[in-house]
């Protein structure tokens, strides 16, 4: 057993583990501190979203503080006290106008429809009620907040259990960076950030720059170190820090004035490299435990991305029900939570072999649900057409008949689908079950002891496929 394998069983904190823990906690605490600081700044009390409406950067969404204001929903900001605001939302901080003090008012120029309107807007401070309306009252934001909180808790728990495992360290940095990013979104940015250089710098890092400097490098570092570090990293451990060096280079480039697109291209490149690294591990890791860990990790990524894709129907307006649209909109947060839990299980190596049961049952019941849904709606449509042709509209009877049909088909259809899936995807298990069943039926007819011994050894070799199998029988005449 190599040193890299033995480290999984070590639960001690060395200097590197303490450094990682300190950096992760400092990242979260610093993000929380900048939110506390931004809470004290003057604001117009509205939530905004960044867009481009005739060179306007911000469009007002809702009045969070609730103070009387001349602003309306979908007003696009053009100027504040004759200070042009176009092109500044993501570029630089600007000095505040003289009236930008809590308790006073500023003159805003907004685009409302096809007209430019000048209105007087009071300057206020954030309130606990505004925080509630912005985060807790919105179902999507609430689920997102709970998701990243779970993500951070899972990453911290995994690290505490396996502090010497390098993949657990990378996972903690990933979860901490994601949590810090979500903390930064507890308050809207808008003018309260734009008129304060310190708040602007913190918001720019934790809300935007962190993706290319910490989140993407942590994903790449995790895939290079999981389930075991790559051979080149085992020889030269400092190569494991290369993803973070790339993130630091992106940060320096952005601070030097390089266009922000370098961060997005860097993030995309590291994510593609992470996928390549995971595929490489799938081909090179041969032992059973490592392959089980990879199945958990890859299965978590697939499930998480599948949940994240649920946001597209809501974003594209395909879902009209507001509650369902909000629930689907939280798919990204739920997906990242699923990914983090699966990665934690893989790193901790806790009940790894259950993944085969989960995959098998997921395939069975997903196919069963889809088939029964097709049968149900097909029977409803067919029966409705027949009843309409006859001249009646017995909707309740049609529903009852379709439901009884589904109940009658459930058990035999589940058995058929399970046999088909076992035969196609779990062939070894399917063949083993057939061998054991055949052995059970022939056992009642076997009377010769020697033939029975040979039969038992043959069944063990076919089902378990050991390198060597033998049977030892105790002599009942020799006791003691």
């Amino acid at each position: 057993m190599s040193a890299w394998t033995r480290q999984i069983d070590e639960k001690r904190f060395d200097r590197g583990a303490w450094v990682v823990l300190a950096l992760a906690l400092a990242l979260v605490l610093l993000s929380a501190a900048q939110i506390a600081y931004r809470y004290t700044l003057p604001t117009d009390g509205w939530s905004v979203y960044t867009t481009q409406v005739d060179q306007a950067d911000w469009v007002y969404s809702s009045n969070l503080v609730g103070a009387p204001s001349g602003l309306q929903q979908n007003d696009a900001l053009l100027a504040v006290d004759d200070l042009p605001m176009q092109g500044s939302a993501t570029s630089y901080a600007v000095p505040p106008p003289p009236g930008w003090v809590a308790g006073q008012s500023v003159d805003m120029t907004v685009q409302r429809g096809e007209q430019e309107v000048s209105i007087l807007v009071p300057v206020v401070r954030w309130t606990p009620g505004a925080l509630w309306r912005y985060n807790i009252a919105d179902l999507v934001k609430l689920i997102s907040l709970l998701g990243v909180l779970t993500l951070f808790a899972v990453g911290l728990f995994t690290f505490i259990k396996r502090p010497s495992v390098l993949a657990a360290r990378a996972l903690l940095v990933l979860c901490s960076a994601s949590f810090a990013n979500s903390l930064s979104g507890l308050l809207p940015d808008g003018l309260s950030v734009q008129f304060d250089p310190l708040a602007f710098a913190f918001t720019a890092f934790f809300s935007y720059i962190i993706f290319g400097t910490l989140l993407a490098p942590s994903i790449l570092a995790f895939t290079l170190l999981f389930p075991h570090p790559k051979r080149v990293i085992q020889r030269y451990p400092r190569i494991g820090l290369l993803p973070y060096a790339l993130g630091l280079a992106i940060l320096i480039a952005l601070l030097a004035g390089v266009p922000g697109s370098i961060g997005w291209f860097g993030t995309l490149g590291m994510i593609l490299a992470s996928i390549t690294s995971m595929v490489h591990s799938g081909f090179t890791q041969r032992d059973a435990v490592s392959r089980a860990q990879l199945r958990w990790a890859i299965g978590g990524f697939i499930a998480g991305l599948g949940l994240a894709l649920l946001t597209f129907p809501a974003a594209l307006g395909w879902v009209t029900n507001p509650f369902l649209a909000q629930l689907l909109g939280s798919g990204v947060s739920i997906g990242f939570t699923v990914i983090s839990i699966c990665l934690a299980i893989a790193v901790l190596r806790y009940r790894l072999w259950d993944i085969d049961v989960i995959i098998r049952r997921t395939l069975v019941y997903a196919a069963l649900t889809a088939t029964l849904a097709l049968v149900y709606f097909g029977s409803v449509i067919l029966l409705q057409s027949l009843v309409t042709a006859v001249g009646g509209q017995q909707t309740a009877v049609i529903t009852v008949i379709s439901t009884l049909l589904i109940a009658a088909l459930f058990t035999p259809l589940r058995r058929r689908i399970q046999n088909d899936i076992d035969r196609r995807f779990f062939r070894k298990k399917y063949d083993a079950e057939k061998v054991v069943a055949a052995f059970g039926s022939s056992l009642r007819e076997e009377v010769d002891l020697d033939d029975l011994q040979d039969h038992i050894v043959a069944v063990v070799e076919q089902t378990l496929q050991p390198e060597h199998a033998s049977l030892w029988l105790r002599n009942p005449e020799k006791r003691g």
Side-chain angles (χ1 to χ4, degrees), residues 49-60 74-78 86 110-114 116:
Y49 59 92
T50 305
T51 186
Q52 196 71 27
V53 180
D54 292 341
Q55 298 182 347
D57 291 312
W58 287 313
V59 174
Y60 285 95
N74 296 325
D75 281 349
L77 179 64
L78 300 177
Q86 295 95 325
V110 299
Q111 180 176 328
R112 185 174 294 168
E114 301 295 332
E116 290 188 8

Side-chain angles (χ1 to χ4, degrees), residues 149-184:
L149 184 60
T150 305
L151 177 69
F152 177 68
V154 168
L156 186 60
F157 175 79
T158 305
F159 174 80
I160 292 174
K161 288 293 186 180
R162 298 287 188 270
S164 62
V165 178
L166 299 182
R169 300 179 184 183
L171 181 61
L172 176 62
V173 176
L174 172 62
C175 296
S176 301
S178 178
F179 189 42
N181 171 253
S182 298
L183 285 177
S184 185

Side-chain angles (χ1 to χ4, degrees), residues 171-324:
L171 181 61
L172 176 62
V173 176
L174 172 62
C175 296
S176 301
S178 178
F179 189 42
N181 171 253
S182 298
L183 285 177
S184 185
L186 292 179
L187 274 178
D189 41 21
L191 294 179
S192 63
V193 170
Q194 200 70 39
F195 290 148
D196 189 282
L198 182 60
F200 182 87
F202 276 120
T203 305
F205 177 79
F206 284 104
S207 297
Y208 305 101
I209 300 177
I210 197 173
F211 285 93
T213 58
L214 269 180
L215 281 170
S218 299
I219 296 175
L220 178 56
F222 180 84
T223 58
L224 291 175
L225 300 171
F226 176 83
H228 304 295
K230 306 292 185 185
R231 290 186 177 179
V232 64
I233 297 179
Q234 295 181 23
R235 292 182 180 180
Y236 309 100
R238 292 185 179 180
I239 295 180
L241 301 176
L242 183 60
Y244 299 106
L246 294 176
L248 181 60
I250 291 175
L251 176 61
I252 295 174
L254 292 174
L255 295 177
V258 176
S261 58
I262 187 176
W264 295 112
F265 283 118
T267 301
L268 178 61
M270 282 185 274
I271 289 177
L272 293 177
S274 301
I275 296 174
T276 304
S277 175
M278 191 67 74
V279 172
H280 174 264
S281 298
F283 282 103
T284 56
Q285 299 295 334
R286 298 297 183 184
D287 60 287
V289 174
S290 297
R291 297 192 70 84
Q293 288 178 290
L294 285 170
R295 285 200 295 272
W296 269 104
I298 295 173
F301 273 111
I302 293 175
L305 292 177
L307 290 171
L309 292 177
L310 293 178
T311 59
F312 283 94
L316 297 175
W318 296 347
V319 180
T320 57
N321 184 280
F323 176 79
L324 184 58

Side-chain angles (χ1 to χ4, degrees), residues 243-405:
Y244 299 106
L246 294 176
L248 181 60
I250 291 175
L251 176 61
I252 295 174
L254 292 174
L255 295 177
V258 176
S261 58
I262 187 176
W264 295 112
F265 283 118
T267 301
L268 178 61
M270 282 185 274
I271 289 177
L272 293 177
S274 301
I275 296 174
T276 304
S277 175
M278 191 67 74
V279 172
H280 174 264
S281 298
F283 282 103
T284 56
Q285 299 295 334
R286 298 297 183 184
D287 60 287
V289 174
S290 297
R291 297 192 70 84
Q293 288 178 290
L294 285 170
R295 285 200 295 272
W296 269 104
I298 295 173
F301 273 111
I302 293 175
L305 292 177
L307 290 171
L309 292 177
L310 293 178
T311 59
F312 283 94
L316 297 175
W318 296 347
V319 180
T320 57
N321 184 280
F323 176 79
L324 184 58
Q326 280 191 320
L327 189 61
L328 293 178
S330 61
V332 173
S333 300
I334 299 175
F336 274 105
T337 304
V338 170
I339 291 175
S340 67
I341 293 175
C342 290
L343 292 182
I345 293 174
V347 172
L348 294 172
R349 304 199 308 169
Y350 175 72
R351 300 185 69 176
L352 288 175
W353 312 108
D354 287 353
I355 186 63
D356 294 329
V357 178
I358 294 174
I359 293 175
R360 182 169 175 253
R361 292 183 178 178
T362 301
L363 290 174
V364 170
Y365 285 103
L368 178 62
T369 301
T371 305
L372 291 178
L374 290 175
V375 171
Y376 178 80
F377 289 110
S379 62
V380 168
I381 295 174
L382 179 61
L383 292 175
Q384 185 67 49
S385 301
L386 293 175
V387 171
T388 303
V390 174
Q393 293 184 350
Q394 302 293 330
T395 307
V397 176
I398 294 175
T399 304
V400 171
I401 294 176
S402 301
T403 304
L404 292 176
L405 178 62

Side-chain angles (χ1 to χ4, degrees), residues 4-62:
W4 296 101
T5 304
R6 287 196 303 269
Q7 71 172 353
I8 295 177
D9 299 322
E10 297 177 359
K11 298 182 180 180
R12 61 182 179 83
F13 279 80
D14 56 13
R15 185 174 59 181
W18 283 113
V19 170
V20 171
L21 180 60
L23 290 176
L25 295 180
L27 188 68
V28 173
L29 293 176
L30 187 60
S31 182
Q34 63 100 7
I35 279 294
Y37 173 71
R38 284 167 53 188
Y39 183 81
T40 65
L41 298 177
T43 177
D44 50 34
W46 282 67
S47 64
V48 296
Y49 59 92
T50 305
T51 186
Q52 196 71 27
V53 180
D54 292 341
Q55 298 182 347
D57 291 312
W58 287 313
V59 174
Y60 285 95
S61 176
S62 61

